[in-house]
């Protein structure tokens, strides 16, 4: 089989690129390791910045997102028993974010690919990029007992942090920057009315907590837990008791508790691999970089990679101009690192670090005091949260 762009990974990055290129008459094939049900079963991002939402509209998959997604004009930070609001709209000159789940937008992308006969091959095992340093790269993979070959002009690795693309690059050609945090986020999805109409990020001596949502009837809650904890350690009862203990009393009292319909732990890690290109293999999204989820940057940064790569491939196919492909890594990384900085800052501001000395704890409190005493500091937080320009 032959295509123009071979894409590894059928998560949001791979599907979005495939859909955008299709609309410009550029052929792609997506190779996804898992079934569609498995991909749609993962509960992950919930907050979309304006730029990501625009990309969905450009890909002609924004209709349901615009109908069902909720525009959020602000969020709260709970600290020291009180709640302070970050007025995103006022602080950014009118910008807001959209609450719409990654599961839903991935479903929208799959349906759009189906409607236009897009090729997404599920259960593709042993996907291997070959000859990426030549003008004729190809992918090999196996589905069941059938081994297949996909010839392409370019390969794009959208296969997430654990994927094969980055790992196929010789170690001496890639530099890795990383930081692991000694805790994770335990997340619970529950069919209950969210405790607050806007998100609450809470910092407390017992640890961080986040009250988020997917709709007016679907709540998404997270608490910081030690990295050694497992889901089995946390009954629903224990989870909600701990969540309540970390929220201001007036918020905790209003919380409606219901059985969890999903419960999972995500480890927290910052990671960047440079450059995001090796020959004719390009990396995008979590395949090249991940952030702790605190600042809601992961999917949004994947979106900016896709924006740059889409335009670069368009220039190549339309006018033979390779400038965009040649500068893709540099361009994408400039924004990636700003997302890294913001996620690290917000994680450091709001979590309990077991290794922190009393001095560092005081600095953390002072950072919060400063934030809420300075319009400039609030402006910086808001500008990053709604998303820096592409
Ligand atoms: P992925 O979603 O990881 O998709 C990669 C795909 O590749 C998968 O479908 C996988 O099955 C497939 N694959 C893997 N290996 C192979 C292989 N060898 N061959 C073929 N296919 C393969 N981000 C935000 O912007 N806002 C948020 O609010 C937010 N909240 C989050 C909350 C949590 C709890 C977590 C864990 C993450 C959150 N994120 C958030 C981050 C966001 O979910 C990720 O950044 C996003 O999923 C990245 O998309 P991707 O397509 O690049 O990678
Ligand atoms: C969600 C996740 C985040 O990381 C975040 O900062 C906000 C919301 C969520 O899953 O709803």
């Amino acid at each position: 089989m032959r295509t123009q762009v071979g894409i590894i990974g059928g998560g949001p990055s791979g599907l979005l690129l495939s859909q955008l290129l299709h609309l410009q008459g550029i052929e792609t094939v997506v190779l996804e390791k898992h079934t569609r049900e498995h991909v749609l079963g993962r509960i992950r991002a919930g907050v979309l910045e304006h730029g990501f939402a625009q990309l969905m509209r450009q890909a002609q998959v924004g209709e349901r997102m615009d109908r069902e997604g909720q525009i959020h004009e602000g969020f709260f930070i709970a600290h020291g028993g009180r709640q302070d609001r970050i007025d995103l709209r006022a602080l950014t000159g009118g910008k807001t974010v959209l609450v719409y789940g990654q599961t839903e937008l991935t479903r929208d992308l799959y349906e759009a690919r189906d409607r236009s006969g897009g090729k997404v091959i599920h259960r593709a095992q042993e996907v291997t990029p070959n000859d990426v340093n030549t003008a004729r790269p190809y992918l090999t993979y196996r589905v069941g007992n059938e081994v297949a070959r996909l010839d392409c002009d370019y390969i794009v690795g959208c296969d997430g942090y654990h994927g094969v693309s980055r790992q196929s690059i010789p170690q001496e050609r890639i530099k890795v920057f990383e930081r692991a945090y000694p805790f994770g986020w335990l997340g619970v999805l529950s069919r209950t009315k969210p405790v607050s109409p806007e998100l609450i990020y809470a910092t407390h001596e017992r640890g961080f907590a986040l009250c988020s949502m997917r709709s007016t009837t679907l709540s998404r809650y997270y608490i910081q837990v030690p990295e050694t904890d497992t889901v089995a350690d946390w009954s629903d009862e224990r989870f909600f008791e701990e969540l309540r203990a970390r929220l201001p009393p007036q918020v905790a009292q209003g919380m409606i508790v219901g059985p969890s319909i999903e419960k999972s732990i995500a480890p927290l890690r910052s990671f960047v691999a440079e450059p995001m290109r090796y020959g004719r293999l390009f990396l995008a999204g979590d395949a090249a970089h991940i952030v702790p989820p605190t600042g809601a940057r992961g999917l949004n940064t994947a979106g900016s990679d896709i924006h740059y790569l889409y335009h670069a491939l368009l220039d190549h196919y339309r006018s033979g101009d390779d400038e965009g492909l040649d500068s893709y890594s540099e361009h994408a990384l400039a924004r990636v690192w700003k997302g890294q900085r913001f996620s690290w800052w917000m994680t450091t501001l709001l979590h309990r670090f077991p290794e922190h000395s009393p001095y560092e704890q005081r600095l953390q409190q002072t950072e919060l005091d400063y934030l809420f005493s300075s319009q400039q500091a609030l402006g910086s937080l808001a500008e990053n949260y709604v998303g820096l320009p592409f």
Side-chain angles (χ1 to χ4, degrees):
M1 191 166 37
R2 185 175 162 84
T3 192
Q4 289 174 295
V5 182
I7 298 175
I8 311 176
S13 300
L15 294 170
L16 190 53
L17 182 65
S18 165
Q19 173 69 6
L20 287 164
L21 291 176
H22 160 77
L23 293 174
Q24 299 296 334
I26 299 167
E27 279 176 28
T28 64
V29 172
V30 176
L31 301 178
E32 165 57 50
K33 186 177 183 175
H34 293 289
T35 62
R36 183 183 296 206
E37 294 66 39
H38 178 95
V39 176
L40 293 177
R42 293 187 296 227
I43 309 294
R44 292 165 110 193
V47 175
L48 307 181
E49 63 185 30
H50 174 76
F52 191 95
Q54 276 300 97
L55 216 50
M56 290 285 289
R57 292 178 194 117
Q58 198 179 346
Q60 298 180 9
V61 283
E63 200 188 305
R64 191 163 71 99
M65 174 190 78
D66 282 326
R67 205 171 54 240
E68 296 179 12
Q70 297 174 36
I71 294 170
H72 281 221
E73 298 186 356
F75 66 88
F76 294 98
I77 292 185
H79 60 112
R82 51 186 283 210
Q83 271 195 93
D84 282 308
R85 183 163 184 268
I86 315 291
D87 188 336
L88 293 172
R89 188 189 274 286
L91 287 161
T92 61
K95 295 190 180 138
T96 55
V97 293
L98 196 61
V99 169
Y100 189 65
Q102 179 168 332
T103 309
E104 301 310 315
L105 70 87
T106 307
R107 192 189 307 281
D108 297 341
L109 283 162
Y110 271 127
E111 287 175 3
R113 298 310 298 122
D114 286 349
R115 278 196 298 276
S116 40
K119 275 207 184 71
V120 182
I121 298 173
H122 284 279
R123 297 180 198 266
Q125 305 298 308
E126 295 155 29
V127 175
T128 311
N130 300 277
D131 289 357
V132 298
N133 261 328
T134 73
R136 291 193 181 75
Y138 63 97
L139 286 159
T140 48
Y141 60 98
R142 180 177 61 76
V143 179
N145 293 325
E146 295 258 314
V147 175
R149 168 175 170 143
L150 176 65
D151 290 279
C152 29
D153 301 334
Y154 295 102
I155 296 173
V156 183
C158 295
D159 48 348
Y161 178 66
H162 298 287
V164 66
S165 309
R166 190 184 67 253
Q167 284 161 24
S168 75
I169 300 174
Q171 268 184 15
E172 68 278 9
R173 299 300 296 272
I174 200 154
K175 193 164 165 54
V176 160
F177 301 84
E178 67 183 320
R179 173 178 186 169
Y181 296 82
F183 41 77
W185 277 19
L186 169 63
V188 157
L189 189 69
S190 115
R191 220 171 278 292
T192 49
K193 182 171 181 267
V195 68
S196 158
E198 291 185 337
L199 272 65
I200 305 174
Y201 291 81
T203 180
H204 189 274
E205 62 193 24
R206 300 179 69 93
F208 169 81
L210 170 60
C211 302
S212 180
M213 69 204 70
R214 290 293 175 273
S215 70
T216 50
T217 54
L218 203 53
S219 301
R220 181 65 167 163
Y221 296 118
Y222 296 99
I223 56 171
Q224 171 189 352
V225 295
E227 61 180 338
T228 45
D229 278 18
T230 64
V231 168
D233 296 326
W234 289 89
S235 64
D236 288 358
E237 204 182 17
R238 183 176 172 213
F239 175 87
F240 281 107
E241 196 181 307
E242 187 59 39
L243 174 62
R244 280 196 173 126
R246 298 181 187 188
L247 296 171
Q250 70 279 15
V251 178
Q253 277 154 23
M255 175 167 287
I256 300 167
V257 170
S260 64
I261 50 176
E262 193 268 358
K263 197 187 279 167
S264 51
I265 295 186
L268 263 62
R269 180 179 289 276
S270 300
F271 175 94
V272 183
E274 290 186 359
M276 290 168 61
R277 173 185 190 171
Y278 176 61
R280 286 187 172 233
L281 168 66
F282 292 86
L283 301 178
D286 278 20
H289 43 77
I290 55 173
V291 284
T294 324
R297 291 301 85 204
L299 178 61
N300 289 310
T301 308
S304 57
D305 291 353
I306 296 305
H307 166 87
Y308 295 128
L309 195 51
Y310 161 63
H311 284 283
L313 287 165
L314 212 53
D315 288 348
H316 168 82
Y317 283 109
R318 275 200 180 151
S319 52
D321 176 0
D322 283 353
E323 205 281 326
L325 288 175
D326 292 340
S327 61
Y328 164 70
S329 177
E330 195 187 326
H331 252 121
L333 282 167
R335 194 171 189 277
V336 162
W337 274 108
K338 291 186 185 117
Q340 291 281 329
R341 185 206 71 83
F342 180 63
S343 306
W344 160 82
W345 175 80
M346 206 158 153
T347 303
T348 308
L349 180 73
L350 298 176
H351 289 72
R352 278 284 118 169
F353 287 75
E355 73 275 19
H356 268 185
S357 65
Y359 176 82
E360 285 159 317
Q361 286 173 14
R362 275 293 166 86
L363 278 185
Q364 200 181 29
Q365 281 168 7
T366 308
E367 185 79 27
L368 276 165
D369 286 349
Y370 169 64
L371 176 66
F372 290 109
S373 68
S374 158
Q375 284 302 300
Q376 277 85 352
L378 285 171
S380 167
L381 164 55
E383 158 180 75
N384 280 276
Y385 194 85
V386 300
L388 296 172
F390 286 0

